[in-house]
């Protein structure tokens, strides 16, 4: 098969291991990965809080998933979503109206207050969705690995990222139900565990998020060399800060 077969599954397994996530689902772009993740958590017709400092693909993914984008201010040190601003926005909106909060790891950096953002989101009944487009293999003591901090996360493999497959994305989650939902949504909403019924039983939020085998092979090869690339970057940074 030329699409969604051996190399896609191997790439997902290799990337899940790389970022220490239980589940991974490959997607055709980082924006589509975020779009599918947002569909899986059920944002249609509800508010999604996003940081004011992010590439507008974050908002595009929200709107295309059927959500209503509401921005919250960022703090000045990491230029990421401010916990106080997040709580203020959640307080200002009706309880239950916010489906998700998007945490963007700007420049691949994990903010030390990421866990606090997760706790605030959950307090108000919202899922924490990580936009980890630049954060492949990012880790912070006391917080964890990018892609495992929130309920679900989306990575990008655009050429400007730490690893690339030309165009591509990946969803990670520790939730079996969200993992199953993403697999169904990216495959036109088909019931992936339903035998022949998958052709007649489909979710209303389905889309085409399938990935060619050749692209997945490129991603799989990148998984095998990204650690060396990140180590080289860290060595260069160490030289600059001496």
């Amino acid at each position: 098969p030329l699409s969604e077969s051996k190399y896609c599954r191997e790439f997902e397994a290799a990337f899940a291991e790389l970022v220490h996530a239980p589940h991974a689902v490959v997607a055709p772009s980082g924006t589509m990965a975020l779009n599918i993740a947002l569909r899986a958590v059920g944002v249609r017709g509800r508010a999604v809080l996003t940081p004011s400092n992010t590439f507008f693909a974050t908002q595009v993914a929200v709107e295309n998933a059927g959500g209503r984008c509401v921005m919250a201010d960022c703090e000045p040190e990491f230029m990421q979503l401010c916990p106080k601003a997040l709580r203020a926005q959640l307080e200002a909106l009706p309880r239950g109206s916010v489906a998700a909060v998007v945490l963007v790891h700007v420049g691949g950096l994990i903010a030390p207050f990421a866990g606090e953002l997760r706790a605030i989101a959950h307090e108000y009944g919202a899922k924490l969705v990580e936009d980890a487009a630049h954060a492949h293999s990012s880790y912070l003591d006391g917080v964890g690995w990018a892609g495992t901090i929130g309920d679900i996360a989306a990575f990008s493999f655009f050429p400007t990222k730490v690893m690339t497959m030309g165009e591509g994305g990946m969803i990670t989650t520790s939730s079996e139900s969200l993992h199953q939902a993403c697999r169904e949504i990216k495959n036109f909403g088909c019931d992936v565990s339903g035998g022949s019924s998958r052709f007649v039983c489909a979710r209303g939020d389905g889309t085409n998020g399938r990935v060619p085998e050749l692209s997945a092979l490129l991603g799989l090869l990148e998984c095998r060399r990204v650690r060396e690339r990140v180590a080289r970057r860290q060595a260069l940074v160490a030289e600059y800060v001496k």
Side-chain angles (χ1 to χ4, degrees), residues 207-228:
T207 187
N208 182 2
R210 296 166 65 85
V211 174
E213 282 285 273
L214 182 57
S215 296
L217 177 57
L218 292 175
L220 178 60
L221 294 173
E222 283 283 87
C223 281
R224 296 172 181 172
R225 53 193 175 220
V226 68
R227 290 186 178 90
E228 181 179 345

Side-chain angles (χ1 to χ4, degrees), residues 24-189:
V25 179
V26 68
S29 71
T31 305
M32 182 56 82
L34 185 57
N35 182 302
I36 293 168
L38 289 163
R39 291 177 189 230
V41 301
V43 304
R44 180 169 296 278
R46 302 173 69 193
V48 178
L49 294 187
T50 67
S52 55
N53 178 43
T54 181
F55 183 56
F56 65 85
T58 306
Q59 282 76 25
V60 168
V62 171
E63 296 291 335
N64 287 343
R68 178 171 60 87
C69 187
V70 178
M71 292 191 185
D73 284 337
C74 294
E75 47 74 47
E77 183 176 359
F78 296 91
M79 295 300 294
Q80 297 190 29
L81 194 57
C82 174
K84 289 183 178 179
L86 173 61
R87 185 176 289 279
Q89 283 284 38
L90 288 167
E91 282 289 340
L93 293 166
R95 281 272 179 170
S97 66
V98 179
V101 173
V102 179
L103 166 60
V104 181
H105 300 303
V106 177
L109 296 176
I110 299 173
F113 47 81
E116 182 182 357
L117 293 173
R118 178 182 60 223
I120 294 171
H122 288 176
E123 180 184 340
Y124 288 84
K127 300 290 189 185
L128 184 68
V129 179
E130 295 174 73
D131 183 337
H134 287 270
H136 317 69
S137 75
S138 291
Y139 173 81
L140 183 65
D141 286 340
V143 178
W145 294 87
T148 68
I149 298 165
D151 297 281
I152 196 166
F155 293 83
S156 171
F157 303 120
F158 189 70
T160 57
K161 305 306 190 287
V162 180
M163 55 183 287
T164 185
M165 50 193 277
E167 282 280 4
M170 190 73 77
I171 304 157
T172 60
T173 182
S174 60
S175 166
E176 178 58 45
S177 62
L178 288 177
H179 173 233
Q180 179 83 352
C182 288
R183 288 216 175 279
E184 293 177 348
I185 290 166
K186 67 169 283 184
N187 191 30
F188 303 100

